[in-house]
Short mmCIF file of all heavy atoms in Angstrom, two decimals:
data_model
loop_
_atom_site.label_atom_id
_atom_site.label_comp_id
_atom_site.label_asym_id
_atom_site.label_seq_id
_atom_site.Cartn_x
_atom_site.Cartn_y
_atom_site.Cartn_z
N SER A 248 0.83 -1.20 0.00
CA SER A 248 0.00 0.00 0.00
C SER A 248 0.87 1.26 0.00
O SER A 248 0.59 2.22 -0.72
CB SER A 248 -0.94 0.00 1.21
OG SER A 248 -1.83 -1.09 1.17
N VAL A 249 1.92 1.23 0.81
CA VAL A 249 2.84 2.37 0.84
C VAL A 249 3.58 2.48 -0.49
O VAL A 249 3.81 3.59 -0.99
CB VAL A 249 3.84 2.24 2.01
CG1 VAL A 249 4.82 3.41 2.02
CG2 VAL A 249 3.09 2.20 3.34
N MET A 250 3.93 1.34 -1.10
CA MET A 250 4.60 1.37 -2.39
C MET A 250 3.69 1.97 -3.46
O MET A 250 4.16 2.68 -4.37
CB MET A 250 5.05 -0.04 -2.81
CG MET A 250 5.78 -0.09 -4.14
SD MET A 250 7.26 0.99 -4.19
CE MET A 250 8.40 0.02 -3.20
N HIS A 251 2.40 1.70 -3.38
CA HIS A 251 1.44 2.30 -4.32
C HIS A 251 1.49 3.82 -4.21
O HIS A 251 1.51 4.53 -5.22
CB HIS A 251 0.03 1.78 -4.02
CG HIS A 251 -0.96 2.10 -5.08
ND1 HIS A 251 -2.33 1.92 -4.92
CD2 HIS A 251 -0.81 2.62 -6.34
CE1 HIS A 251 -2.95 2.29 -6.03
NE2 HIS A 251 -2.07 2.72 -6.90
N LEU A 252 1.53 4.33 -2.98
CA LEU A 252 1.66 5.78 -2.76
C LEU A 252 2.99 6.29 -3.29
O LEU A 252 3.05 7.34 -3.96
CB LEU A 252 1.51 6.11 -1.27
CG LEU A 252 1.70 7.57 -0.88
CD1 LEU A 252 0.61 8.45 -1.49
CD2 LEU A 252 1.70 7.73 0.65
N ARG A 253 4.07 5.57 -3.03
CA ARG A 253 5.40 6.00 -3.48
C ARG A 253 5.48 6.07 -5.01
O ARG A 253 6.12 6.95 -5.56
CB ARG A 253 6.47 5.05 -2.92
CG ARG A 253 6.56 5.06 -1.41
CD ARG A 253 7.48 3.98 -0.89
NE ARG A 253 8.89 4.34 -1.02
CZ ARG A 253 9.89 3.55 -0.66
NH1 ARG A 253 9.64 2.34 -0.18
NH2 ARG A 253 11.14 3.94 -0.81
N GLU A 254 4.83 5.12 -5.68
CA GLU A 254 4.81 5.14 -7.14
C GLU A 254 4.09 6.38 -7.67
O GLU A 254 4.53 6.99 -8.65
CB GLU A 254 4.14 3.87 -7.66
CG GLU A 254 4.97 2.62 -7.46
CD GLU A 254 4.18 1.34 -7.70
OE1 GLU A 254 2.94 1.42 -7.84
OE2 GLU A 254 4.82 0.26 -7.73
N GLN A 255 3.00 6.75 -7.01
CA GLN A 255 2.28 7.95 -7.41
C GLN A 255 3.10 9.21 -7.15
O GLN A 255 3.10 10.14 -7.95
CB GLN A 255 0.94 8.03 -6.67
CG GLN A 255 -0.06 6.96 -7.05
CD GLN A 255 -0.44 7.05 -8.51
OE1 GLN A 255 -0.83 8.12 -9.00
NE2 GLN A 255 -0.33 5.94 -9.23
N LEU A 256 3.81 9.23 -6.03
CA LEU A 256 4.67 10.38 -5.72
C LEU A 256 5.80 10.50 -6.73
O LEU A 256 6.21 11.61 -7.09
CB LEU A 256 5.25 10.25 -4.31
CG LEU A 256 4.26 10.28 -3.14
CD1 LEU A 256 5.00 10.16 -1.81
CD2 LEU A 256 3.43 11.55 -3.16
N THR A 257 6.30 9.36 -7.20
CA THR A 257 7.36 9.37 -8.21
C THR A 257 6.84 10.00 -9.51
O THR A 257 7.52 10.82 -10.14
CB THR A 257 7.85 7.94 -8.48
OG1 THR A 257 8.42 7.41 -7.28
CG2 THR A 257 8.89 7.92 -9.58
N ASP A 258 5.63 9.63 -9.89
CA ASP A 258 5.03 10.18 -11.12
C ASP A 258 4.77 11.67 -10.99
O ASP A 258 5.08 12.46 -11.89
CB ASP A 258 3.72 9.46 -11.44
CG ASP A 258 3.95 8.00 -11.82
OD1 ASP A 258 5.09 7.67 -12.19
OD2 ASP A 258 2.99 7.22 -11.72
N LYS A 259 4.20 12.07 -9.85
CA LYS A 259 3.80 13.48 -9.67
C LYS A 259 4.99 14.38 -9.35
O LYS A 259 5.02 15.54 -9.73
CB LYS A 259 2.75 13.60 -8.56
CG LYS A 259 1.51 12.74 -8.76
CD LYS A 259 0.74 13.13 -10.00
CE LYS A 259 -0.60 12.41 -10.09
NZ LYS A 259 -0.48 10.94 -10.18
N GLY A 260 5.97 13.83 -8.61
CA GLY A 260 7.09 14.65 -8.16
C GLY A 260 8.25 14.69 -9.12
O GLY A 260 9.23 15.37 -8.87
N GLN A 261 8.17 13.92 -10.19
CA GLN A 261 9.24 13.87 -11.17
C GLN A 261 10.58 13.53 -10.52
O GLN A 261 11.61 14.09 -10.84
CB GLN A 261 9.33 15.21 -11.92
CG GLN A 261 8.11 15.45 -12.78
CD GLN A 261 7.83 16.93 -12.99
OE1 GLN A 261 8.51 17.77 -12.44
NE2 GLN A 261 6.84 17.22 -13.80
N CYS A 262 10.50 12.60 -9.57
CA CYS A 262 11.72 12.14 -8.89
C CYS A 262 11.66 10.61 -8.85
O CYS A 262 10.83 10.03 -8.17
CB CYS A 262 11.79 12.71 -7.48
SG CYS A 262 13.23 12.14 -6.55
N SER A 263 12.54 9.96 -9.59
CA SER A 263 12.46 8.52 -9.78
C SER A 263 12.86 7.72 -8.55
O SER A 263 12.60 6.52 -8.46
CB SER A 263 13.35 8.10 -10.95
OG SER A 263 14.70 8.47 -10.70
N SER A 264 13.49 8.37 -7.56
CA SER A 264 14.02 7.62 -6.42
C SER A 264 13.05 7.49 -5.25
O SER A 264 13.41 6.94 -4.21
CB SER A 264 15.32 8.28 -5.94
OG SER A 264 15.10 9.63 -5.59
N PHE A 265 11.82 7.98 -5.39
CA PHE A 265 10.87 7.88 -4.28
C PHE A 265 10.47 6.43 -4.00
O PHE A 265 9.98 6.12 -2.91
CB PHE A 265 9.61 8.71 -4.55
CG PHE A 265 9.59 10.01 -3.79
CD1 PHE A 265 9.88 11.20 -4.42
CD2 PHE A 265 9.30 10.04 -2.43
CE1 PHE A 265 9.87 12.40 -3.73
CE2 PHE A 265 9.30 11.23 -1.73
CZ PHE A 265 9.59 12.41 -2.37
N THR A 266 10.65 5.53 -4.95
CA THR A 266 10.24 4.15 -4.75
C THR A 266 11.34 3.26 -4.16
O THR A 266 11.07 2.13 -3.76
CB THR A 266 9.79 3.51 -6.08
OG1 THR A 266 10.85 3.64 -7.03
CG2 THR A 266 8.53 4.19 -6.60
N ASN A 267 12.57 3.76 -4.09
CA ASN A 267 13.64 2.87 -3.62
C ASN A 267 14.66 3.53 -2.69
O ASN A 267 15.41 2.82 -2.03
CB ASN A 267 14.38 2.26 -4.81
CG ASN A 267 14.88 3.31 -5.79
OD1 ASN A 267 15.24 4.42 -5.41
ND2 ASN A 267 14.87 2.97 -7.07
N ALA A 268 14.72 4.84 -2.63
CA ALA A 268 15.75 5.51 -1.85
C ALA A 268 15.19 6.10 -0.56
O ALA A 268 14.00 6.41 -0.45
CB ALA A 268 16.39 6.62 -2.68
N GLU A 269 16.06 6.24 0.43
CA GLU A 269 15.68 6.90 1.68
C GLU A 269 15.69 8.41 1.47
O GLU A 269 16.64 8.96 0.91
CB GLU A 269 16.64 6.51 2.81
CG GLU A 269 16.25 7.10 4.15
CD GLU A 269 17.15 6.65 5.29
OE1 GLU A 269 17.93 5.70 5.08
OE2 GLU A 269 17.08 7.25 6.36
N LYS A 270 14.64 9.06 1.91
CA LYS A 270 14.51 10.51 1.76
C LYS A 270 14.42 11.18 3.12
O LYS A 270 14.21 10.53 4.15
CB LYS A 270 13.24 10.85 0.96
CG LYS A 270 13.19 10.26 -0.44
CD LYS A 270 14.05 11.07 -1.39
CE LYS A 270 13.85 10.60 -2.82
NZ LYS A 270 14.69 11.36 -3.75
N ASP A 271 14.52 12.50 3.12
CA ASP A 271 14.27 13.25 4.33
C ASP A 271 12.75 13.41 4.47
O ASP A 271 12.07 13.70 3.48
CB ASP A 271 14.93 14.63 4.25
CG ASP A 271 14.90 15.34 5.60
OD1 ASP A 271 13.89 16.02 5.89
OD2 ASP A 271 15.87 15.19 6.36
N PRO A 272 12.19 13.20 5.67
CA PRO A 272 10.74 13.35 5.85
C PRO A 272 10.21 14.70 5.37
O PRO A 272 9.09 14.79 4.85
CB PRO A 272 10.55 13.20 7.36
CG PRO A 272 11.70 12.36 7.79
CD PRO A 272 12.84 12.76 6.91
N GLU A 273 11.01 15.75 5.52
CA GLU A 273 10.57 17.08 5.08
C GLU A 273 10.34 17.12 3.57
O GLU A 273 9.41 17.76 3.10
CB GLU A 273 11.59 18.14 5.49
CG GLU A 273 11.13 19.56 5.23
CD GLU A 273 12.09 20.60 5.78
OE1 GLU A 273 13.18 20.22 6.25
OE2 GLU A 273 11.76 21.80 5.73
N GLU A 274 11.19 16.43 2.82
CA GLU A 274 11.03 16.38 1.36
C GLU A 274 9.71 15.70 1.00
O GLU A 274 8.98 16.14 0.10
CB GLU A 274 12.20 15.62 0.74
CG GLU A 274 12.18 15.59 -0.78
CD GLU A 274 13.38 14.87 -1.37
OE1 GLU A 274 14.27 14.44 -0.59
OE2 GLU A 274 13.42 14.72 -2.60
N PHE A 275 9.39 14.61 1.71
CA PHE A 275 8.12 13.90 1.49
C PHE A 275 6.93 14.78 1.84
O PHE A 275 5.96 14.88 1.07
CB PHE A 275 8.12 12.62 2.33
CG PHE A 275 6.75 12.03 2.55
CD1 PHE A 275 5.97 11.63 1.48
CD2 PHE A 275 6.27 11.86 3.85
CE1 PHE A 275 4.71 11.08 1.70
CE2 PHE A 275 5.02 11.31 4.07
CZ PHE A 275 4.24 10.92 3.00
N LEU A 276 6.99 15.46 2.99
CA LEU A 276 5.87 16.31 3.42
C LEU A 276 5.65 17.48 2.48
O LEU A 276 4.52 17.82 2.14
CB LEU A 276 6.11 16.81 4.85
CG LEU A 276 6.05 15.76 5.96
CD1 LEU A 276 6.41 16.37 7.29
CD2 LEU A 276 4.69 15.10 6.02
#
């Protein structure tokens, strides 16, 4: 379920690493 969200964030955010890399929580928010 979280991966489904991450895939959508990758599409919308134009950042390919949202599905596999560790990010800063602030970047996600």
